[in-house]
Amino acid sequence: MGEIVLAAKVTHVPTMLMSEQPGPVEGKRQPAINGHYEIARRAKALGATTAIVCDTHWVINAGFHINANKRFEGLFTSNEFPHFIQNLPYAYEGNPEMGDAIAREATERGAFTLAHHLDSLELEYGTLVPMRFMSREHDMKVVSVAAWCTVHGHDESRIVGEAIRAAVEASDEKVLLLASGSLSHKIWANKDYAANNGTFTISSEFNRQVDLHVLDMWQRGDHATFLKMLPEYADHCCGEGSMHDTAMLYGALGWDSYTAECEVVTDYFPSSGTGQTNVIFPVQ
């Protein structure tokens, strides 16, 4: 019987890559990188064989979709931030059986989902950034789940999360589950970015305060209350991908019956106007 051995909400900001390059950001994102290392080390200690990444940089407009190819390899340049991420090499083994099983399970539960085996369907950087750093500590197969959901409800993403857990438990895999996305996600207006040192600041004090409150709730295990505010939080604080990655995470962990106290492994930090962190969600 398979199991989700570790779960986490993680950042994927492009400045993590820039932090390892000469320039004004060099070294500035090391705490975020270290958080990824720590998550991967713990996953390795728990025997994780596959990472399932709910990726808020993969936008979808109908149904749910899973990149279940048997291998991912190529050079990635972000069409959103080509000056931040360009010619990023990647090579990971996939887990087609797991991706297919999640899609079948989700569809049977009422959330129509397709798994794809296409060399031309690239991974997005919500998957590539975490895996770049985590793979240095532990080599895992990769399954990417689209989580920038434009016409979907959180209740549907909850079903996808429940399907992830069911598919994992019906397998022989040990899984690291990642919700890859920010907390608040109001990027600085273009004309205001430079004037506000945008790379290292948040665009809204309201968003920062709500983010910190959410982190406090997670650390206290008050997830039931958080889920009551999730739709408005995602709306008013511009949650990345409407925070469908987070809904999937909670679906896999038991939704409002989940009570574990979370562990922040990277202190909250602003990036380009948004709120970022790495948080471990212990699996109950």
Side-chain angles (χ1 to χ4, degrees):
M1 178 177 173
E3 61 178 322
I4 298 172
V5 295
L6 190 66
K9 171 83 171 178
V10 298
T11 182
H12 59 237
V13 289
T15 47
M16 293 172 69
L17 304 175
M18 298 166 67
S19 184
E20 296 191 323
Q21 302 166 5
V25 187
E26 185 175 7
K28 296 294 196 298
R29 294 295 186 236
Q30 196 60 47
I33 294 169
N34 291 343
H36 282 197
Y37 290 161
E38 178 61 19
I39 291 167
R41 283 192 292 265
R42 296 196 196 187
K44 182 177 182 178
L46 293 167
T49 53
T50 294
I52 298 175
V53 187
C54 302
D55 185 336
T56 55
H57 259 271
W58 181 0
V59 60
I60 50 174
N61 294 314
F64 288 89
H65 298 272
I66 298 171
N67 197 334
N69 210 14
K70 63 182 178 181
R71 182 164 176 80
F72 308 105
E73 187 168 4
L75 288 174
F76 176 81
T77 294
S78 168
N79 56 17
E80 178 188 7
F81 292 119
H83 55 313
F84 286 173
I85 307 178
Q86 54 185 250
N87 296 321
L88 174 69
Y90 63 92
Y92 305 108
E93 294 300 315
N95 190 331
E97 296 79 12
M98 178 60 67
D100 290 348
I102 295 168
R104 286 194 303 269
E105 189 71 36
T107 298
E108 289 172 1
R109 291 168 179 254
F112 177 65
T113 303
L114 294 171
H116 303 278
H117 307 258
L118 299 167
D119 292 340
S120 58
L121 181 61
E122 293 183 333
L123 294 174
E124 293 293 338
Y125 80 73
T127 299
L128 290 173
V129 172
M131 295 315 303
R132 177 173 178 83
F133 297 108
M134 293 187 189
S135 64
R136 294 175 181 174
E137 295 290 334
H138 182 41
D139 187 33
M140 293 172 282
K141 293 174 282 187
V142 177
V143 175
S144 185
V145 180
W148 183 353
C149 307
T150 62
V151 291
H152 311 66
H154 287 126
D155 56 334
E156 295 175 289
S157 290
R158 169 187 176 175
I159 291 171
V160 173
E162 292 169 346
I164 290 172
R165 183 158 193 159
V168 170
E169 291 180 345
S171 74
D172 294 322
E173 301 283 347
K174 293 184 182 295
V175 165
L176 167 64
L177 177 61
L178 300 175
S180 179
S182 72
L183 296 177
S184 66
H185 197 74
K186 185 180 179 182
I187 294 175
W188 278 107
N190 188 62
K191 63 184 178 65
D192 298 328
Y193 189 93
N196 289 282
N197 191 21
T199 302
F200 303 107
T201 57
I202 195 156
S203 62
S204 164
E205 182 60 26
F206 176 81
N207 285 2
R208 188 178 80 88
Q209 293 300 328
V210 179
D211 287 346
L212 293 173
H213 179 62
V214 164
L215 284 175
D216 177 66
M217 295 168 72
W218 288 355
Q219 290 173 288
R220 290 186 287 106
D222 189 9
H223 303 287
T225 301
F226 168 75
L227 287 167
K228 292 177 182 177
M229 63 180 277
L230 174 59
E232 291 168 299
Y233 176 43
D235 183 19
H236 296 308
C237 297
C238 308
E240 188 169 16
S242 294
M243 299 195 79
H244 282 274
D245 64 320
T246 307
M248 292 174 185
L249 177 70
Y250 272 101
L253 294 176
W255 202 248
D256 57 2
S257 66
Y258 181 68
T259 58
E261 296 179 355
C262 295
E263 178 185 355
V264 174
V265 293
T266 299
D267 288 341
Y268 180 80
F269 67 97
S271 181
S272 300
T274 71
Q276 305 288 335
T277 186
N278 290 311
V279 181
I280 288 175
F281 283 65
V283 180
Q284 295 178 311

